[in-house]
């Protein structure tokens, strides 16, 4: 028996004994626990008590093997609970998890051993399934508990005389259907038959003989092309089936008739004949002219060649997908560039806003002045700045009747940056409370933003240095090559 089955069975038996012994124990669980946990939980509490009693007499005392750190954690988590009870619940929880895990492992070990016995060559440790008649000898390795390991071969199954007779009888009954192929039946044979040397799904080797080889050959080829209209020629086809030392024979009566062609096949034969005639007639001419009409039907010829349409479509589709992916990547890079630019422009915008508000202008007027200056700069060919575009949009919204507070909120949301969101929050809060502290708050925000920009500039510098590392390494390699190659050639000479 497999070791996994033995050990797994022993573990499950031990678990069963614990469940029986602990059937009267307290669960030490919250009310209404799941029914399937109760027996295992009681077994865990029973095992916990047995461990405790083995170390020290009394119930739930001592637990010298519990770490002090665990005790301190339990006291911290449950300061109002009895420490010994919490220790008991903690240990029962651990043992219950271990018992579930060990039980699952034991069950899987038993299942794996059973599956091995089922799928291996030695089934149930009692017998080996032979290969079928078409199989090969099976090499089996088996271990005898007393005398060691043995390796031997099991030959494929051999059928009895009675079984072979029955199989041959069934095969002979199926032969007319098996060999007729595209013919309607064996009394109207005009197309090739399906004759094989091995009968499928049987152990028989089949040898065919024909009474008229000029009409029906042993490979199934039927020669009915030159037969006159309405001819019906009988042919006998013999099949000799052999398996082991047994031999069975049957004779099939066939009737070969002229081939009945479909209109499509008739037209195809006529075209082939027209092509042959055209070749013969134009043999001495430099050009071969395709026939344009056969049996009164016009023909349209075309050179098949290789169709490049499908590959072109695939290439076009792939290029479209690549362009689409590239556009998406480019758009993502623009978004990143926008975020980077707005981050760098934040201290500038804030300092100019502080300057204008300190000069006595209102916040709304200050933003309008920033927008006007940006428009003049753009008219002179200046660079686009996304934050000023958002400021212009905010000013247009306020000019169109949107409340100033709502315009500031929308501005912060559109900028998609925590810095501008913070600025819009400061502006809206000061609109609610009044503008007495606005200048001081903006100045503090400007100072903080400049410090933040310093750290961003430092980070960008580190990134630039990292990007330059690879070119520097390449230049170093090129320099070494330029120095070493002439030196090596000089030594070689």
């Amino acid at each position: 028996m497999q070791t996994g089955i033995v050990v797994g069975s022993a573990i499950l038996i031990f678990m069963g004994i614990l469940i029986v012994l602990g059937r009267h124990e307290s669960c030490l669980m919250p009310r209404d626990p799941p029914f399937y946990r109760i027996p295992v939980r009681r077994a865990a509490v029973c095992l916990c008590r047995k461990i405790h009693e083995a170390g020290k007499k009394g119930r739930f005392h001592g637990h010298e093997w519990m770490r002090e750190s665990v005790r301190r954690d339990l006291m911290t988590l449950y300061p109002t609970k009895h420490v010994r009870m919490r220790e008991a619940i903690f240990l029962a929880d651990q043992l219950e998890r271990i018992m579930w895990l060990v039980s699952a492992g034991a069950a899987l070990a038993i299942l794996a051993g059973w599956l091995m016995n089922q799928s291996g060559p030695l089934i149930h440790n009692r017998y080996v399934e032979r290969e079928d008649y078409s199989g090969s000898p099976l090499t089996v390795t088996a271990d005898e508990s007393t005398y060691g390991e043995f390796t031997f071969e099991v030959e494929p199954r051999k059928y009895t005389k009675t079984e072979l007779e029955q199989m041959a009888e069934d095969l002979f009954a199926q032969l007319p259907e098996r060999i007729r192929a595209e013919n309607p039946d064996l009394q109207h044979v005009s197309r090739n038959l399906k004759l094989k040397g091995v009968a499928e799904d049987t152990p028989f080797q089949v040898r065919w003989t024909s009474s008229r080889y000029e009409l029906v050959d042993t490979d199934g080829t039927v020669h009915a092309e030159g037969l006159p209209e309405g001819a019906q020629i009988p042919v006998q086809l013999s099949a000799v089936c052999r398996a082991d030392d047994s031999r069975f024979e049957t004779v099939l009566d066939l009737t070969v008739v002229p081939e009945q062609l479909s209109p499509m096949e008739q037209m195809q034969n006529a075209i082939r004949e027209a092509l042959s005639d055209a070749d013969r007639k134009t043999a001495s001419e430099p050009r071969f002219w395709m026939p344009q009409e056969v049996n009164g039907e016009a023909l349209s010829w075309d050179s098949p060649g290789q169709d490049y349409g499908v590959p072109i479509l695939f290439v076009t589709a792939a290029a479209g997908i690549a362009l689409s992916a590239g556009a998406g990547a480019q758009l993502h890079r623009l978004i990143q560039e926008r975020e980077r630019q707005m981050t760098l422009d934040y201290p500038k915008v804030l300092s100019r806003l502080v300057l204008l508000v300190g000069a006595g202008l209102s916040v709304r007027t200050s933003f309008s002045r920033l927008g006007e200056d940006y428009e003049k700069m753009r008219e002179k060919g200046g660079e686009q700045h996304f934050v000023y575009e958002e400021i212009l949009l905010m000013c247009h919204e306020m000019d169109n009747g949107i409340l100033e507070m709502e315009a500031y909120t929308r501005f912060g949301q559109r900028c998609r940056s925590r810095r501008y969101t913070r600025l819009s929050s400061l502006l809206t809060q000061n609109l609610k409370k009044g503008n007495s502290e606005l200048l001081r708050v903006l100045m503090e925000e400007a100072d903080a933003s400049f410090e933040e920009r310093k750290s961003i500039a430092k980070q960008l510098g580190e990134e630039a240095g990292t990007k330059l590392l690879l070119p520097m390494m390449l230049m170093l390699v090129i320099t070494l090559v330029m120095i070493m190659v002439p030196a090596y050639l000089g030594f070689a000479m």
Side-chain angles (χ1 to χ4, degrees):
M1 184 179 291
Q2 297 290 335
T3 305
I5 296 178
V6 175
V7 176
S9 301
I11 291 175
L12 292 182
I13 291 173
F14 177 71
M15 294 296 176
I17 293 173
L18 283 179
I19 289 174
V20 173
L21 293 177
R23 64 187 184 277
H24 299 304
E25 296 284 351
S26 173
C27 287
L28 298 181
M29 294 176 68
R31 293 183 179 180
D32 301 325
F35 70 92
Y36 58 85
R37 288 188 58 188
I38 294 176
V40 180
R41 181 67 174 198
R42 287 176 174 171
V45 174
C46 176
L47 183 60
C48 180
R49 182 171 58 81
K50 295 293 184 183
I51 292 174
H52 167 73
E53 291 176 354
K56 196 172 184 179
K57 297 297 181 181
R59 190 167 186 175
F60 300 126
H61 292 289
H63 294 298
E64 308 300 339
W65 43 283
M66 178 179 285
R67 296 192 302 272
E68 283 298 327
S69 59
V70 176
R71 282 200 179 95
R72 288 195 299 270
D73 293 340
L74 291 174
M75 293 176 63
T76 303
L77 291 172
Y78 308 101
T80 60
K81 301 290 183 180
H82 192 274
V83 177
R84 295 300 181 186
M85 181 60 68
R86 289 310 314 174
E87 290 180 4
I89 295 174
F90 175 79
L91 292 174
D93 288 340
Q94 304 306 311
L95 289 175
E96 182 189 2
R97 295 190 185 97
I98 294 173
M99 291 177 68
W100 278 112
L101 181 62
V102 172
S103 300
L108 290 176
I110 294 173
L111 178 61
W114 181 81
L115 291 175
M116 182 179 294
N117 286 336
Q118 292 295 319
S119 60
L122 193 61
I123 299 176
H124 296 309
N125 297 326
R126 295 179 62 86
Y127 63 88
V128 177
E129 288 281 358
R130 290 183 183 272
E131 291 286 327
D132 207 352
Y133 53 84
S134 60
S136 56
L138 182 65
T139 301
V140 180
T141 300
D143 189 12
E144 207 283 327
S145 58
T146 304
Y147 299 102
E149 187 177 275
F150 297 87
T151 300
F152 54 95
E153 285 191 352
V154 178
E155 294 293 329
R157 183 187 175 192
K158 295 183 181 295
Y159 292 93
T160 63
K161 184 70 173 179
T162 304
E163 290 176 328
L164 289 175
E165 289 176 354
Q166 182 61 47
M167 295 175 71
E169 183 179 345
D170 295 339
L171 175 61
F172 292 159
Q174 299 170 7
L175 276 181
E177 185 64 26
R178 287 192 179 207
I179 70 172
R180 70 177 181 85
E182 298 180 4
N183 298 286
D185 53 55
L186 297 186
Q187 304 309 313
H188 300 84
V189 176
S190 60
R191 298 176 181 269
N192 292 339
L193 298 171
K194 188 179 180 181
L195 304 184
K196 290 187 176 182
V198 178
E200 298 176 355
D201 306 326
T202 70
F204 295 115
Q205 298 285 336
V206 184
R207 184 171 62 86
W208 298 92
T209 59
S210 173
S211 62
R212 307 265 318 252
Y213 288 100
E214 72 277 10
L215 292 177
V216 180
D217 209 339
T218 54
D219 61 356
T221 303
V222 176
H223 306 283
E225 298 85 2
L227 295 180
E229 187 73 24
Q232 295 184 352
I233 303 175
V235 177
Q236 286 189 335
L237 200 61
S238 300
V240 178
C241 301
R242 294 182 181 274
D244 297 332
D245 297 331
S246 300
R247 180 180 183 277
F248 305 93
E249 185 176 358
T250 187
V251 177
L252 301 175
D253 293 322
L254 282 63
T255 302
V256 180
V257 299
E259 188 175 8
Q260 300 294 325
L261 300 178
S262 65
M264 174 65 72
E265 292 171 334
Q266 293 176 6
M267 190 62 182
Q268 289 174 349
N269 288 338
I271 293 175
R272 291 189 185 97
E273 293 179 2
L275 289 171
S276 298
D277 293 341
D279 184 43
R280 287 193 300 269
K281 293 177 181 179
T282 61
S284 60
E285 299 179 7
R287 294 179 180 177
F288 173 84
W289 294 93
M290 305 293 294
Q292 301 299 312
E293 184 180 357
V294 172
N295 294 340
E297 185 173 346
L299 303 179
S300 176
W301 297 98
D302 188 14
S303 178
Q306 186 173 358
D307 185 9
Y308 293 99
V310 175
I312 290 173
L313 289 176
F314 275 113
V315 171
T316 305
I321 294 173
L323 289 175
S324 177
Q330 179 65 23
L331 181 62
H332 183 66
R333 285 194 293 271
L334 289 176
I335 294 297
Q336 291 179 335
E337 177 63 24
R338 175 184 182 272
E339 294 176 356
R340 186 187 68 83
Q341 187 192 77
M342 294 187 71
T343 300
L344 295 177
D345 284 342
Y346 182 67
K348 300 177 183 177
V349 172
L350 206 56
S351 62
R352 294 185 64 187
L353 186 63
V354 168
L355 182 63
L356 293 173
V357 172
L361 299 179
S362 65
V363 175
R364 177 171 180 174
T365 306
S366 299
F367 275 121
S368 299
R369 179 67 60 84
L370 291 177
E372 292 173 1
D373 294 343
Y374 172 70
E375 285 183 326
K376 293 178 181 178
M377 184 267 294
R378 286 288 290 168
E379 291 175 357
K380 296 178 181 179
E383 182 184 357
Q384 180 185 19
H385 287 264
F386 294 100
V387 62
Y388 290 105
E389 298 287 345
E390 296 293 342
I391 290 174
L392 282 175
L393 178 59
M394 177 181 64
C395 294
H396 292 326
E397 287 179 343
M398 289 188 290
D399 293 339
N400 292 330
I402 293 180
L403 295 177
E404 188 175 353
M405 186 180 300
E406 185 178 353
Y408 294 153
T409 303
R410 291 186 180 184
F411 169 73
Q413 292 173 350
R414 287 195 307 269
C415 289
R416 296 172 58 182
S417 173
R418 58 181 180 80
R419 301 170 182 83
Y420 293 96
T421 303
R422 185 167 63 244
L423 176 61
S424 66
S425 299
L426 291 175
L427 296 177
T428 54
Q429 289 174 5
N430 280 275
L431 282 176
K432 296 177 182 178
K433 299 177 181 179
N435 293 334
S436 58
E437 298 292 327
L438 177 59
L439 183 59
R440 182 184 61 80
V441 172
L442 290 178
M443 292 178 65
E444 292 176 356
E445 181 67 17
D447 294 338
S449 66
F450 273 109
E451 293 298 327
E452 188 175 3
R453 182 174 179 179
K454 290 179 183 179
S455 63
I456 293 174
K458 183 179 179 181
Q459 180 181 357
L460 292 175
E462 293 174 353
E463 292 178 358
T466 304
K467 292 178 181 178
L468 290 174
L469 184 60
L470 180 59
M472 290 173 62
M473 294 293 293
L474 293 176
M475 291 177 64
L476 177 62
V477 172
I478 294 172
T479 304
L480 290 176
V481 171
M482 293 174 63
I483 295 173
M484 297 300 295
V485 170
Y488 175 78
L489 294 176
F491 281 117
M493 294 175 62

